[in-house]
Amino acid sequence: MTRQTLSAAAALALLLLGGTACAAPPAEVATVRPALETGPGMPDTAEDGDADDPAVWLHPTDPAKSLVITAVKDAGLRVYDLQGRLVQRIDPAPAGADGLAGRYNNVDVAYGLALPGGGAMDVAVASDRGRDRIMVWRIDPAAQGVPLTDVTDPEQPQVFPTRRAADGSGEVPNPATDQHSAYGLTTWKGPDGHRAIVAQRNEARLVEHRLVVNADGTVGHERLRHWDFPYSHRGQDLTIESETDPALDWAAQFEGLAVDQERGMLFAGQEDVGLWRIDLTTGKADDKPFYETRGSAKSSFNVEESRVVRDVEGLTLYYGPDGSGYLLASSQGDAHGDEKAPDPSGLDDTFAVFERGGENRYLGSFRIVAADGVDGVQECDGAEVVSFGLPGFPNGLLVVQDGYNDDLNDMSGEPSATNFKYVDWQAVAGSFKEPLMVTPGAWDPRKGAAR
């Protein structure tokens, strides 16, 4: 994306104001109503549970038994049904001799992971930020009440045994206690089996691991390759931190990740910078983001025409037929908390929609507002959309994390409750002036191809 000159209207406005820039006009953002929400909210135990990232698992024979599997950080995982009711609570791994306990950050689903003796299993895969591991659970379609079983290899290696030296001179050891650990995560079915792509917390690095099923049915991983990205952008040092001004606080890390399974294209969200593409079939990453965030008015990195604010969070793909569909990105922003830096155009707490194919053209934005007893969505960390007709959601389902469930405490300071909202895809598609496509059943995730 390139900077643009002032439009005629903007130039006239500046003249009328004596050349002084005024606040940006409100951006056009569609409004969408949620259908329902998960309960109970987080935290639901003595652990400091915090909803973060959802994944939808589609049942192989009975869509009504499909599940929403969610990462809730220090409280482990929560599994819900299509009515938002709790099905299973999975506690995090307890602290070991090093004092580190499990903290599950992102979660994804992989279908048809081959077993050594024949057959296959569906699995949920999560990043364990607390111990720098990849966690795996087998999903049993016939289970009653406890569908997920831990099959993680206890002898797995550390995901990120090294990290970039602070001065950029090379690699240094990376003890898990430093928490430069497994963060964002997604899965994809590569040419030789299933893989997990993981972002490193506090670093501009992504790594790809092959999932390895052992003879005993446990699942470990082996490292294949990694990608490093710049620690500066448009003259802005991304390692600068500020304790008092969010507009001057920067980070180089990625979190939101999503793979176009048909194209083998990874979309990766560098939180403060924007959206990148990596062609997983060739291993080549773009040399610059295809869409930047707005940056900061207090920085050399300041792109006012962007419709995505820092930080960009959850990414997810809506699959249509013949390569069509959409990429959705959470434009979280920083409008809440003790120290605020709200976007002047009102793009905090929104979702940006891009074309899935081609140059991934930006199409518009929407926000999820309160309706029918369900509150709206703020500071969304993770999202998942499926273009598959499900009971109660015949047009497809969008699940998003809500960082301020029930809008408590005037959304200032630390949120006391979080959860997940379910949204009918038709509500999203119909909110745009030019409605988005609705193609339930266009994508079969088990076959990895469009129907």
Side-chain angles (χ1 to χ4, degrees):
M1 189 171 70
T2 58
R3 294 182 186 270
Q4 299 175 357
T5 58
L6 283 173
S7 67
L12 177 60
L14 284 175
L15 288 173
L16 292 174
L17 290 169
T20 302
C22 61
E28 186 172 345
V29 177
T31 57
V32 175
R33 296 184 174 191
L36 55 90
E37 61 186 334
T38 57
M42 294 289 110
D44 62 350
T45 67
E47 299 291 342
D48 188 18
D50 182 9
D52 192 289
D53 187 53
V56 177
W57 174 73
L58 301 178
H59 193 280
T61 59
D62 187 352
K65 295 180 180 178
S66 299
L67 301 169
V68 177
I69 303 167
T70 69
V72 294
K73 297 182 180 175
D74 289 329
L77 295 187
R78 297 294 183 269
V79 183
Y80 302 96
D81 64 16
L82 294 180
Q83 289 77 46
R85 299 174 300 204
L86 183 65
V87 172
Q88 184 177 0
R89 180 182 288 115
I90 298 174
D91 293 329
D98 57 5
L100 297 177
R103 178 182 171 92
Y104 304 151
N105 206 73
N106 278 193
V107 64
D108 200 8
V109 167
Y111 294 94
L113 188 63
L115 295 168
M121 63 178 174
D122 296 344
V123 294
V125 185
S127 55
D128 183 348
R129 167 181 160 184
R131 301 180 303 156
D132 199 20
R133 294 189 172 197
I134 295 175
M135 301 294 295
V136 184
W137 294 265
R138 182 171 184 164
I139 307 171
D140 184 356
Q144 298 295 322
V146 187
L148 270 63
T149 301
D150 189 350
V151 292
T152 305
D153 181 356
E155 303 301 322
Q156 66 172 284
Q158 192 176 337
V159 179
F160 292 100
T162 65
R163 67 176 185 256
R164 170 186 176 271
D167 61 4
S169 61
E171 296 293 301
V172 296
N174 182 44
T177 50
D178 286 356
Q179 293 294 281
H180 289 245
S181 50
Y183 199 55
L185 176 143
T186 191
T187 63
W188 81 291
K189 190 172 184 180
D192 56 353
H194 289 80
R195 304 178 183 188
I197 299 171
V198 190
Q200 186 172 18
R201 183 172 179 262
N202 294 330
E203 303 292 338
R205 173 170 290 178
L206 304 175
V207 66
E208 181 181 39
H209 286 255
R210 180 186 294 112
L211 298 180
V212 179
V213 185
N214 302 316
D216 63 358
T218 60
V219 182
H221 53 86
E222 59 182 14
R223 186 168 181 151
L224 298 177
R225 54 187 173 177
H226 74 271
W227 298 269
D228 285 334
F229 296 85
Y231 284 75
S232 64
H233 186 70
R234 288 188 182 261
Q236 174 62 55
D237 183 348
L238 301 176
T239 67
I240 299 296
E241 297 183 5
S242 171
E243 296 293 332
T244 58
D245 188 348
L248 300 176
D249 191 30
W250 296 87
Q253 71 188 12
F254 289 73
E255 183 171 11
L257 304 171
V259 176
D260 187 325
Q261 302 288 339
E262 282 189 307
R263 292 185 173 92
M265 183 67 71
L266 170 67
F267 295 99
Q270 191 174 18
E271 293 184 358
D272 282 353
V273 173
L275 304 175
W276 296 77
R277 289 177 297 230
I278 300 175
D279 187 336
L280 297 174
T281 62
T282 65
K284 180 176 174 55
D286 286 350
D287 59 5
K288 60 183 178 181
F290 71 87
Y291 199 89
E292 298 172 289
T293 69
R294 292 167 68 84
S296 170
K298 297 182 179 181
S299 168
S300 59
F301 171 26
N302 181 24
V303 185
E304 294 182 358
E305 66 268 25
S306 172
R307 301 290 88 184
V308 174
V309 294
R310 298 191 297 145
D311 58 30
V312 58
E313 286 281 345
L315 302 184
T316 184
L317 285 157
Y318 180 94
Y319 290 88
D322 303 319
S324 63
Y326 309 104
L327 170 70
L328 277 62
S330 171
S331 173
Q332 187 182 93
D334 206 347
H336 314 293
D338 293 328
E339 300 291 341
K340 304 178 179 66
D343 178 68
S345 295
L347 287 163
D348 302 291
D349 304 325
T350 64
F351 297 84
V353 181
F354 302 85
E355 288 181 337
R356 174 186 164 204
E359 296 302 312
N360 306 116
R361 180 171 61 98
Y362 170 76
L363 299 176
S365 297
F366 68 93
R367 65 166 36 91
I368 299 171
V369 300
D372 302 323
V374 181
D375 60 298
V377 172
Q378 296 85 28
E379 292 191 1
C380 175
D381 283 335
E384 174 85 334
V385 65
V386 290
S387 56
F388 199 92
L390 296 167
F393 300 93
N395 303 301
L397 170 64
L398 171 65
V399 182
V400 301
Q401 182 259 8
D402 177 16
Y404 280 92
N405 184 35
D406 295 329
D407 303 344
L408 298 175
N409 301 332
D410 196 31
M411 292 181 285
S412 62
E414 293 295 323
S416 59
T418 58
N419 72 348
F420 298 89
K421 267 57 176 183
Y422 293 12
V423 182
D424 188 330
W425 175 252
Q426 177 63 61
V428 176
S431 70
F432 281 63
K433 287 184 177 179
E434 294 185 13
L436 305 178
M437 69 176 66
V438 178
T439 57
W443 172 255
D444 186 342
R446 296 182 180 281
K447 295 180 180 178
R451 290 182 170 181

